[in-house]
Amino acid sequence: MKWPSSLSAFVTLATNDNYARGAMVLGTSLRNHKTSKKLVALIGPQVSESVLKGIFHEVRLVDVLDSGDTAHLAMMKRPDLGVTFTKLHCWTLTQYSKCVFMDADTMVLSNIDELFGREELSAAPDPGWPDCFNSGLFVFRPSMETHDKLLQYCTEHGSFDGGDQGVLNGFFGDWATADISKHLPFIYNLSSIAIYTYLPAFKQYGGNAKVVHFLGKTKPWCYTYDPKAKQITENVQEAATHSTFLLDWWNLYSSAVVPMLQEQFGEQPFHSGCVEGESHPTQASALESQLSSEERKQNWEQGQADYMGKDSFDNIRKKLDTFLK
């Protein structure tokens, strides 16, 4: 089926079933906020496309790419990010004239169709290093020429962080300085990390947020949720970092996605579940507590602070209060 080249679309990626659940929440949130654009999901071979087809206009199977850059991924303590290279397939969607890519761990809070008025490569700054853009949401123009150049760039230069964000920031290397109109407001990619690190700004501007991004290793589907009480029942302190957004994610998942899963597969309601083999969040926190001061300092410098443990907002505030007294 040949579609008009004037079509535009929101695009996401799911390489496993948990990210597929995230993609379903994202797609549902876009539909709930009355987007007029097509919805496209790129999926890996391990993901079932049947339920996604109930939400997305197009579901395309793609080969899973992996950077294999264990050194840089280890530096970030995120070996799972290697497969994010698969995101580069989005430039092959040449039946569309313009697209907005969104990670499967994002959720829309209001209509964002106005983003299609922006040009490639428009994105919001990354909270860890604002001269880099965060690749969880960006505007792009599908092009096989650009796709081929990106793959060539990967071959010749690799990625400074081992994932797609390092590649894209290298390839679109003038983003920070060339054209301020390509700098999206932070409300289009609001991260929980930013809520924690600059709480006064969140209190001032957070009400205007249009997209929330659940950055970090612990994703919404890693928590435990009670659908009757509509509450997070495990890792409650950690969940508080996401403000009300985490509950919004679970409420949407329970009300819209679970019924679809049950209808398709007869699946029992999914109320928690980290990827098998990953450390449980509480175990991760326990490991963090054993780190030396120097190791904790290095983690801070790499954006890997123990936000839910010793480096929590409440603990930092207590230390500051003690110092000021």
Side-chain angles (χ1 to χ4, degrees):
M1 176 179 178
K2 189 173 182 180
W3 293 358
S5 60
S6 60
L7 282 178
S8 47
F10 286 102
V11 182
T12 191
L13 168 69
T15 54
N16 61 45
D17 284 340
N18 278 332
Y19 275 89
R21 298 175 197 276
M24 286 186 275
V25 170
L26 169 60
T28 302
S29 69
L30 284 162
R31 285 184 175 274
N32 286 354
H33 291 291
K34 310 300 182 185
T35 180
S36 63
K37 309 302 179 182
K38 294 289 185 180
L39 304 182
V40 179
L42 306 177
I43 62 170
Q46 295 180 337
V47 177
S48 172
E49 63 181 74
S50 54
V51 177
L52 288 166
K53 283 185 172 179
I55 298 173
F56 291 86
H57 298 98
E58 181 180 3
V59 180
R60 177 181 289 195
L61 178 65
V62 295
D63 293 329
V64 174
L65 306 176
D66 195 319
S67 70
D69 190 346
T70 55
H72 286 104
L73 293 172
M75 184 186 299
M76 298 176 68
K77 297 186 177 179
R78 293 295 302 279
D80 54 306
L81 290 180
V83 295
T84 58
F85 264 50
T86 309
K87 188 182 296 188
L88 303 182
H89 283 298
C90 68
W91 268 272
T92 67
L93 297 169
T94 53
Q95 65 269 44
Y96 302 101
S97 58
K98 189 182 290 185
C99 296
V100 173
F101 184 91
M102 302 183 70
D103 277 351
D105 59 352
T106 60
M107 181 176 67
V108 168
L109 307 175
S110 65
N111 186 286
I112 56 172
D113 285 1
E114 67 272 14
L115 286 177
F116 290 87
R118 303 279 185 150
E119 283 303 324
E120 182 178 79
L121 187 290
S122 292
D126 187 79
W129 193 265
D131 276 347
C132 290
F133 58 82
N134 183 275
S135 61
L137 182 151
F138 57 85
V139 183
F140 70 100
R141 287 190 176 274
S143 161
M144 289 306 301
E145 180 182 0
T146 303
H147 176 258
D148 292 345
K149 287 181 178 178
L150 277 164
L151 293 182
Q152 182 179 355
Y153 183 90
C154 291
T155 301
E156 296 177 355
H157 304 283
S159 168
F160 68 74
D161 65 2
D164 68 275
Q165 184 158 304
V167 168
L168 294 176
N169 272 278
F171 187 81
F172 297 99
D174 63 352
W175 175 85
T177 57
D179 186 352
I180 194 66
S181 70
K182 294 182 180 181
H183 290 213
L184 298 181
F186 196 59
I187 57 172
Y188 288 103
N189 197 342
L190 179 68
S191 71
S192 55
I193 292 175
I195 295 171
Y196 167 81
T197 55
Y198 199 4
L199 188 59
F202 173 70
K203 289 181 177 179
Q204 179 71 19
Y205 303 113
N208 300 321
K210 289 176 174 285
V211 178
V212 61
H213 188 180
F214 298 97
L215 275 177
K217 190 172 183 178
T218 307
K219 302 302 181 185
W221 49 84
C222 289
Y223 294 89
T224 302
Y225 177 76
D226 181 348
K228 293 182 179 179
K230 294 187 176 181
Q231 292 180 342
I232 302 296
T233 58
E234 190 175 344
N235 306 316
V236 177
Q237 181 182 359
E238 182 175 347
T241 310
H242 300 295
S243 185
T244 60
F245 299 135
L246 188 60
L247 279 176
D248 291 341
W249 188 96
W250 270 105
N251 289 335
L252 187 56
Y253 180 83
S254 295
S255 63
V257 176
V258 166
M260 293 182 65
L261 292 173
Q262 290 176 315
E263 182 179 350
Q264 286 282 332
F265 305 114
E267 183 172 309
Q268 292 298 310
F270 171 86
H271 301 310
S272 67
C274 294
V275 177
E276 186 176 355
E278 289 186 353
S279 296
H280 195 280
T282 54
Q283 294 173 339
S285 297
L287 290 173
E288 289 288 346
S289 66
Q290 299 172 12
L291 296 176
S292 67
S293 296
E294 184 61 30
E295 288 172 325
R296 286 178 61 208
K297 178 184 176 183
Q298 290 176 358
N299 284 351
W300 266 92
E301 292 170 348
Q302 296 168 10
Q304 300 292 327
D306 179 17
Y307 298 117
M308 308 310 142
K310 289 187 176 181
D311 302 319
S312 70
F313 179 78
D314 287 340
N315 284 344
I316 291 174
R317 183 171 57 185
K318 289 176 183 176
K319 290 181 181 179
L320 286 173
D321 289 344
T322 301
F323 175 77
L324 291 173
K325 289 177 182 178

XYZ file of all heavy atoms in Angstrom, residues 233-285:
417
model
N 2.427 0.002 45.388
C 2.502 -0.692 46.677
C 3.903 -1.146 47.045
O 4.118 -1.644 48.129
C 1.574 -1.924 46.665
O 1.956 -2.792 45.590
C 0.125 -1.513 46.491
N 4.856 -0.974 46.124
C 6.242 -1.353 46.412
C 7.152 -0.268 45.869
O 6.870 0.351 44.842
C 6.573 -2.700 45.770
C 7.916 -3.278 46.231
C 8.146 -4.671 45.655
O 7.201 -5.295 45.172
O 9.302 -5.122 45.697
N 8.257 -0.009 46.565
C 9.187 1.059 46.175
C 8.472 2.408 46.146
O 8.652 3.217 45.233
C 9.821 0.772 44.815
C 10.481 -0.583 44.763
O 11.178 -0.975 45.692
N 10.236 -1.323 43.696
N 7.624 2.637 47.164
C 6.796 3.839 47.199
C 7.646 5.108 47.261
O 7.352 6.094 46.597
C 5.827 3.781 48.406
C 5.013 5.057 48.487
C 4.913 2.568 48.280
N 8.726 5.071 48.060
C 9.578 6.258 48.177
C 10.201 6.608 46.838
O 10.247 7.762 46.430
C 10.682 6.029 49.216
C 11.594 7.251 49.402
C 12.699 6.974 50.413
O 12.771 5.905 50.985
N 13.560 7.956 50.613
N 10.666 5.590 46.134
C 11.262 5.820 44.814
C 10.217 6.342 43.843
O 10.479 7.233 43.047
C 11.860 4.520 44.294
C 12.539 4.662 42.945
C 13.233 3.374 42.523
O 13.393 2.480 43.366
O 13.602 3.284 41.350
N 9.013 5.793 43.914
C 7.947 6.208 43.002
C 7.603 7.678 43.181
O 7.199 8.351 42.233
C 6.713 5.344 43.232
N 7.806 8.207 44.400
C 7.470 9.602 44.674
C 8.287 10.563 43.822
O 7.882 11.701 43.580
C 7.682 9.912 46.155
N 9.435 10.118 43.335
C 10.278 10.959 42.493
C 9.558 11.344 41.203
O 9.806 12.398 40.635
C 11.587 10.219 42.127
O 12.158 9.705 43.312
C 12.573 11.154 41.461
N 8.682 10.488 40.736
C 7.960 10.738 39.486
C 6.700 11.572 39.704
O 5.884 11.701 38.788
C 7.579 9.412 38.832
C 8.740 8.548 38.485
N 9.672 8.895 37.543
C 9.128 7.336 38.964
C 10.578 7.929 37.444
N 10.267 6.981 38.296
N 6.512 12.100 40.916
C 5.316 12.861 41.227
C 4.087 12.003 40.941
O 4.044 10.822 41.267
C 5.311 14.158 40.416
O 4.237 14.990 40.770
N 3.069 12.581 40.326
C 1.844 11.823 40.042
C 1.916 11.090 38.708
O 1.012 10.310 38.380
C 0.637 12.773 39.991
O 0.849 13.742 38.950
C 0.460 13.494 41.313
N 2.990 11.302 37.942
C 3.053 10.765 36.585
C 3.059 9.236 36.558
O 2.487 8.621 35.658
C 4.286 11.297 35.855
C 4.295 12.792 35.715
C 5.444 13.519 35.970
C 3.156 13.471 35.323
C 5.456 14.895 35.839
C 3.148 14.852 35.191
C 4.305 15.574 35.448
N 3.709 8.631 37.534
C 3.776 7.170 37.569
C 2.390 6.567 37.780
O 2.018 5.574 37.143
C 4.735 6.716 38.666
C 5.058 5.221 38.706
C 5.709 4.767 37.413
C 5.977 4.911 39.894
N 1.612 7.180 38.662
C 0.240 6.711 38.863
C -0.596 6.915 37.608
O -1.426 6.069 37.258
C -0.404 7.443 40.043
C -0.057 6.926 41.437
C -0.691 7.810 42.505
C -0.497 5.481 41.616
N -0.375 8.018 36.916
C -1.093 8.261 35.660
C -0.775 7.152 34.653
O -1.669 6.689 33.929
C -0.703 9.621 35.066
C -1.221 10.783 35.888
O -2.157 10.575 36.678
O -0.676 11.893 35.742
N 0.520 6.754 34.608
C 0.920 5.683 33.683
C 0.172 4.402 34.018
O -0.393 3.756 33.137
C 2.431 5.460 33.777
C 2.988 4.527 32.738
C 3.566 4.866 31.547
C 3.011 3.078 32.790
N 3.948 3.739 30.854
C 3.620 2.628 31.585
C 2.582 2.136 33.709
C 3.816 1.268 31.301
C 2.758 0.773 33.422
C 3.373 0.353 32.234
N 0.163 4.026 35.311
C -0.463 2.772 35.716
C -1.981 2.812 35.566
O -2.610 1.823 35.202
C -0.068 2.422 37.152
C 1.169 1.584 37.206
C 2.428 1.981 37.566
C 1.284 0.200 36.867
N 3.307 0.933 37.470
C 2.636 -0.173 37.037
C 0.381 -0.755 36.415
C 3.087 -1.464 36.793
C 0.825 -2.055 36.168
C 2.177 -2.382 36.356
N -2.582 3.956 35.847
C -4.030 4.072 35.671
C -4.415 3.886 34.204
O -5.401 3.217 33.884
C -4.528 5.426 36.179
C -4.466 5.529 37.690
O -4.503 4.509 38.395
N -4.371 6.744 38.208
N -3.613 4.466 33.314
C -3.862 4.325 31.882
C -3.629 2.880 31.441
O -4.408 2.314 30.664
C -2.958 5.283 31.097
C -3.197 5.397 29.591
C -4.641 5.782 29.307
C -2.244 6.427 28.990
N -2.553 2.281 31.949
C -2.256 0.889 31.602
C -3.385 -0.033 32.055
O -3.840 -0.899 31.298
C -0.930 0.463 32.241
C -0.559 -0.963 31.925
C 0.080 -1.287 30.735
C -0.874 -1.995 32.800
C 0.392 -2.605 30.423
C -0.564 -3.315 32.506
C 0.072 -3.603 31.314
O 0.368 -4.905 31.001
N -3.836 0.142 33.288
C -4.859 -0.748 33.850
C -6.207 -0.584 33.157
O -6.914 -1.564 32.909
C -5.028 -0.482 35.354
O -3.851 -0.822 36.047
N -6.556 0.655 32.828
C -7.890 0.907 32.279
C -7.989 0.632 30.783
O -9.039 0.217 30.289
C -8.299 2.363 32.552
O -7.416 3.257 31.883
N -6.891 0.836 30.036
C -6.959 0.737 28.579
C -6.181 -0.436 27.997
O -6.660 -1.113 27.082
C -6.469 2.047 27.947
N -4.999 -0.694 28.531
C -4.131 -1.715 27.925
C -4.452 -3.108 28.433
O -4.540 -4.066 27.647
C -2.643 -1.373 28.173
C -1.751 -2.486 27.629
C -2.293 -0.041 27.518
N -4.654 -3.262 29.742
C -4.930 -4.588 30.304
C -6.146 -5.243 29.657
O -6.092 -6.429 29.288
C -5.085 -4.511 31.846
C -5.710 -5.801 32.388
C -3.730 -4.273 32.497
N -7.267 -4.532 29.472
C -8.409 -5.175 28.803
C -8.078 -5.686 27.401
O -8.581 -6.737 26.987
C -9.461 -4.055 28.754
C -9.119 -3.171 29.910
C -7.622 -3.190 29.965
N -7.227 -4.970 26.673
C -6.819 -5.407 25.338
C -5.985 -6.680 25.422
O -6.152 -7.604 24.618
C -6.027 -4.307 24.635
C -6.845 -3.071 24.306
S -5.879 -1.824 23.435
C -5.534 -2.681 21.906
N -5.087 -6.743 26.394
C -4.254 -7.929 26.567
C -5.100 -9.134 26.943
O -4.879 -10.251 26.459
C -3.193 -7.671 27.645
C -2.106 -6.653 27.320
C -1.241 -6.385 28.547
C -1.238 -7.145 26.167
N -6.071 -8.910 27.804
C -6.941 -10.012 28.224
C -7.788 -10.519 27.068
O -8.004 -11.720 26.915
C -7.826 -9.552 29.384
C -7.065 -9.335 30.691
C -7.953 -8.799 31.788
O -8.737 -7.894 31.560
N -7.815 -9.357 32.984
N -8.253 -9.591 26.240
C -9.082 -9.988 25.098
C -8.273 -10.762 24.066
O -8.738 -11.749 23.501
C -9.696 -8.741 24.450
C -10.617 -9.052 23.286
C -11.231 -7.808 22.682
O -11.091 -6.725 23.282
O -11.849 -7.917 21.607
N -7.033 -10.330 23.843
C -6.191 -10.962 22.824
C -5.622 -12.304 23.283
O -5.609 -13.269 22.544
C -5.035 -10.025 22.452
C -5.442 -8.848 21.595
C -5.642 -9.229 20.139
O -5.031 -10.162 19.642
N -6.502 -8.501 19.451
N -5.114 -12.319 24.533
C -4.358 -13.486 24.983
C -4.962 -14.190 26.189
O -4.433 -15.205 26.641
C -2.918 -13.078 25.347
C -2.196 -12.369 24.247
C -1.827 -11.045 24.375
C -1.880 -13.021 23.070
C -1.157 -10.380 23.368
C -1.212 -12.373 22.041
C -0.850 -11.051 22.187
N -6.031 -13.617 26.767
C -6.537 -14.152 28.009
C -5.530 -13.962 29.123
O -5.503 -14.690 30.106
N -4.681 -12.952 28.969
C -3.569 -12.733 29.903
C -4.077 -12.185 31.219
O -4.993 -11.361 31.274
C -2.577 -11.744 29.274
C -1.343 -11.492 30.117
C -0.321 -10.655 29.358
O 0.013 -11.020 28.224
O 0.125 -9.641 29.918
N -3.473 -12.638 32.311
C -3.800 -12.101 33.623
C -3.304 -10.663 33.718
O -2.311 -10.297 33.104
C -3.145 -12.946 34.727
C -3.719 -14.347 34.842
C -5.186 -14.335 35.194
O -5.597 -13.672 36.129
N -5.990 -15.076 34.435
N -3.997 -9.821 34.492
C -3.550 -8.430 34.636
C -2.093 -8.352 35.075
O -1.666 -9.092 35.962
C -4.488 -7.872 35.712
C -5.719 -8.711 35.606
C -5.236 -10.090 35.236
N -1.382 -7.467 34.446
C 0.051 -7.304 34.707
C 0.217 -6.127 35.657
O -0.068 -4.991 35.300
C 0.756 -7.035 33.372
C 2.201 -6.644 33.476
C 3.192 -7.615 33.549
C 2.580 -5.309 33.473
C 4.523 -7.257 33.610
C 3.910 -4.945 33.538
C 4.885 -5.915 33.608
N 0.625 -6.374 36.884
C 0.715 -5.314 37.872
C 2.143 -5.026 38.325
O 2.370 -4.169 39.163
C -0.156 -5.635 39.084
C -1.601 -5.809 38.728
N -2.291 -4.883 37.966
C -2.477 -6.810 39.011
C -3.538 -5.298 37.799
N -3.672 -6.461 38.415
N 3.121 -5.765 37.810
C 4.517 -5.463 38.089
C 5.383 -6.372 37.236
O 4.884 -7.322 36.639
C 4.857 -5.685 39.573
O 4.783 -7.060 39.904
N 6.689 -6.101 37.217
C 7.582 -7.034 36.548
C 8.768 -6.414 35.868
O 8.612 -5.803 34.822
N 9.943 -6.534 36.464
C 11.155 -6.093 35.797
C 11.586 -7.144 34.787
O 11.174 -8.305 34.867
C 12.283 -5.877 36.804
S 11.962 -4.518 37.938
N 12.425 -6.743 33.845
C 12.965 -7.690 32.888
C 13.719 -8.773 33.645
O 14.512 -8.473 34.541
C 13.904 -6.984 31.896
C 14.525 -7.982 30.931
C 13.137 -5.916 31.122
N 13.455 -10.021 33.308
C 14.070 -11.133 34.026
C 15.594 -11.027 33.982
O 16.188 -10.765 32.950
C 13.639 -12.473 33.415
C 14.124 -13.668 34.203
C 13.594 -14.963 33.638
O 12.790 -14.912 32.700
O 13.989 -16.024 34.135
N 16.212 -11.198 35.145
C 17.668 -11.166 35.201
C 18.215 -9.834 35.667
O 19.363 -9.745 36.069
N 17.378 -8.778 35.659
C 17.852 -7.489 36.140
C 17.705 -7.432 37.659
O 16.844 -8.083 38.245
C 17.032 -6.342 35.518
C 17.314 -6.132 34.051
C 16.604 -4.904 33.530
O 15.809 -4.310 34.277
O 16.854 -4.535 32.377
N 18.562 -6.652 38.288
C 18.467 -6.492 39.731
C 17.158 -5.815 40.091
O 16.712 -4.906 39.407
C 19.638 -5.638 40.243
O 20.853 -6.287 40.010
N 16.534 -6.290 41.153
C 15.339 -5.632 41.653
C 15.732 -4.258 42.175
O 16.808 -4.078 42.738
C 14.741 -6.477 42.787
C 13.339 -6.092 43.125
N 13.053 -5.014 43.911
C 12.142 -6.629 42.761
C 11.738 -4.914 44.052
N 11.168 -5.866 43.361
N 14.860 -3.222 42.032
C 15.220 -1.884 42.487
C 15.699 -1.825 43.925
O 16.628 -1.103 44.252
C 13.912 -1.106 42.298
C 13.226 -1.814 41.169
C 13.587 -3.261 41.330
N 15.061 -2.624 44.814
C 15.489 -2.580 46.206
C 16.880 -3.170 46.363
O 17.659 -2.740 47.196
C 14.500 -3.336 47.101
O 14.330 -4.665 46.574
C 13.148 -2.643 47.128
N 17.205 -4.172 45.535
C 18.540 -4.749 45.574
C 19.568 -3.745 45.065
O 20.665 -3.625 45.609
C 18.581 -6.006 44.708
C 17.725 -7.147 45.239
C 17.667 -8.303 44.261
O 17.907 -8.145 43.074
N 17.337 -9.478 44.756
N 19.192 -3.007 44.032
C 20.095 -2.001 43.489
C 20.406 -0.942 44.531
O 21.543 -0.491 44.682
C 19.474 -1.354 42.248
N 19.364 -0.524 45.284
C 19.579 0.475 46.320
C 20.512 -0.044 47.402
O 21.341 0.686 47.941
C 18.235 0.892 46.939
O 17.421 1.504 45.968
